[in-house]
Amino acid sequence: MSKKIAKVVKIQLPAGEAKPGAALASAGIVMPKFCTEFNEKTADQKGKTVPVIITAYEDKSFDFVIKTTPVTNLIKDACNIKSGSSNPKTTKVATLSYEDAKKIAEYKMPDLNANDIDAAIKIVAGSARSMGVNVEEKK
């Protein structure tokens, strides 16, 4: 017999540094146990923001799935910028090389809705453009 799901929560937490707090309280889980397990699984990614999907069950147990770092964070790291443009159509803040876009697409491939690497690169390029970051063309 399967457990009855009480809630599914999607949040972003700092890798290896999750603490009990308001974001986790809404999930209705045993926060210290989750934090310990999450921090153990993400210790190698310290300094990155990690999306996690927590499935909480009525008996207070839980499962969680760790996703890859968001594309926008990867683009900001690759371009060495703090944030995107406030007006991306007119103000460009950086340029992302094709090679960096390809690396990001390869890393994000498991979480993207893309059939091949070229489609994934187009998704990354679209995110970059919406941040005011130019993307170099394929050479």
Side-chain angles (χ1 to χ4, degrees):
M1 193 164 116
S2 63
K3 299 178 190 179
K4 190 161 183 183
I5 296 173
K7 191 180 271 190
V8 176
V9 180
K10 296 177 185 179
I11 55 176
Q12 293 183 11
L13 298 170
E17 300 172 10
K19 299 180 196 81
L24 291 174
S26 66
I29 58 172
V30 180
M31 289 185 272
K33 184 178 178 190
F34 168 78
C35 291
T36 302
E37 288 181 30
F38 177 82
N39 291 341
E40 285 173 5
K41 287 187 177 182
T42 60
D44 60 328
Q45 300 178 40
K46 275 204 184 224
K48 293 183 178 179
T49 301
V50 181
V52 62
I53 300 172
I54 305 168
T55 304
Y57 300 102
E58 287 186 345
D59 65 355
K60 299 288 184 193
S61 64
F62 60 87
D63 292 325
F64 64 94
V65 178
I66 298 169
K67 298 291 188 176
T68 55
T69 304
V71 172
T72 54
N73 292 16
L74 297 171
I75 292 170
K76 287 190 281 187
D77 289 346
C79 294
N80 201 22
I81 56 175
K82 292 214 182 287
S83 66
S85 173
S86 58
N87 190 351
K89 285 188 176 184
T90 58
T91 308
K92 302 298 179 186
V93 293
T95 300
L96 182 68
S97 71
Y98 180 81
E99 291 77 25
D100 285 340
K102 186 174 181 179
K103 283 181 198 169
I104 292 169
E106 288 169 347
Y107 172 75
K108 286 294 292 180
M109 198 65 182
D111 291 343
L112 293 177
N113 186 15
N115 295 328
D116 59 22
I117 194 67
D118 291 331
I121 292 169
K122 286 180 183 179
I123 292 170
V124 171
S127 295
R129 281 191 298 274
S130 72
M131 296 171 63
V133 174
N134 288 322
V135 181
E136 289 180 356
E137 293 294 319
K138 184 177 180 179
K139 293 177 182 172

